[in-house]
Amino acid sequence: KIKSEEKKEDQVSSSELDVPKSLPSLHRAQRVIHRVAKSGFHWHGSSSVMSDIFSKIELLSKAVDKKQQEEIQGLLGETLFMMVELGRIFDISCEDILQEKTTNFVKKYHKMEKLVMDSAGKKLNDINTETQQHYWRKSQENTTNDITK
């Protein structure tokens, strides 16, 4: 009887997986992943998750080359979900880290806009892509721990 009660405690009921859809998507995915992990369902560590991520990215690359919109959408979602699982393994909040990286990106973008205006006296949409890339790289100088480089 005790073992059967312990087993029930380890199982996740469908109502426990009813995480509100109103939550930000990453936060919702994290909650679902944490809840099913509590029940014992999870991938076999970071190596397995990384392998799945690389596999999805390879398929995503092929779908992008073929411009397969629905396939791209599905694979992008699956990849993001696997990234959230990787975050769970390392106890990283993907919601928080994406907020932080988005804030960093916005700061660098504004820095780039200012550099373009100060150096060339122009707005971003008045310069070509190659020149924009030059200013983007300049806006990142002296910046550490940046995934957008």
Side-chain angles (χ1 to χ4, degrees):
K1 183 177 179 181
I2 293 173
K3 287 210 183 234
S4 103
E5 285 177 15
E6 285 175 359
K7 218 174 196 181
K8 284 181 186 176
E9 286 176 11
D10 288 344
Q11 293 176 352
V12 177
S13 70
S14 57
S15 64
E16 288 178 302
L17 291 180
D18 288 341
V19 177
K21 291 182 180 181
S22 61
L23 287 176
S25 298
L26 285 174
H27 188 71
R28 183 170 180 253
Q30 284 178 166
R31 276 203 188 165
V32 168
I33 285 172
H34 279 282
R35 288 179 182 183
V36 297
K38 276 178 42 177
S39 76
F41 178 82
H42 48 82
W43 287 262
H44 300 289
S46 59
S47 305
S48 175
V49 173
M50 288 301 299
S51 178
D52 284 353
I53 290 170
F54 288 135
S55 173
K56 299 288 184 208
I57 289 174
E58 186 177 328
L59 293 171
L60 182 59
S61 178
K62 290 175 184 174
V64 167
D65 288 344
K66 295 177 181 177
K67 296 180 177 28
Q68 298 171 314
Q69 186 68 27
E70 285 184 32
E71 189 73 9
I72 293 167
Q73 183 175 329
L75 288 165
L76 194 54
E78 290 173 21
T79 304
L80 287 169
F81 195 81
M82 293 305 298
M83 297 292 261
V84 173
E85 170 60 10
L86 188 63
R88 183 199 65 80
I89 290 170
F90 290 100
D91 197 28
I92 296 169
S93 167
C94 293
E95 181 74 29
D96 293 345
I97 199 73
L98 188 57
Q99 283 287 356
E100 178 185 320
K101 294 303 174 182
T102 301
T103 298
N104 290 347
F105 177 86
V106 168
K107 286 177 184 177
K108 287 180 191 82
Y109 182 84
H110 289 312
K111 184 177 177 183
M112 179 181 63
E113 282 183 315
K114 184 171 175 13
L115 282 169
V116 170
M117 185 54 79
D118 292 350
S119 300
K122 296 181 178 182
K123 293 183 179 180
L124 257 175
N125 59 353
D126 294 333
I127 60 176
N128 64 34
T129 304
E130 187 177 310
T131 306
Q132 287 177 2
Q133 293 301 312
H134 164 76
Y135 283 108
W136 178 251
R137 286 187 297 276
K138 277 189 96 52
S139 74
Q140 296 180 73
E141 289 175 3
N142 303 320
T143 304
T144 57
N145 194 23
D146 184 5
I147 62 169
T148 59
K149 283 187 178 180

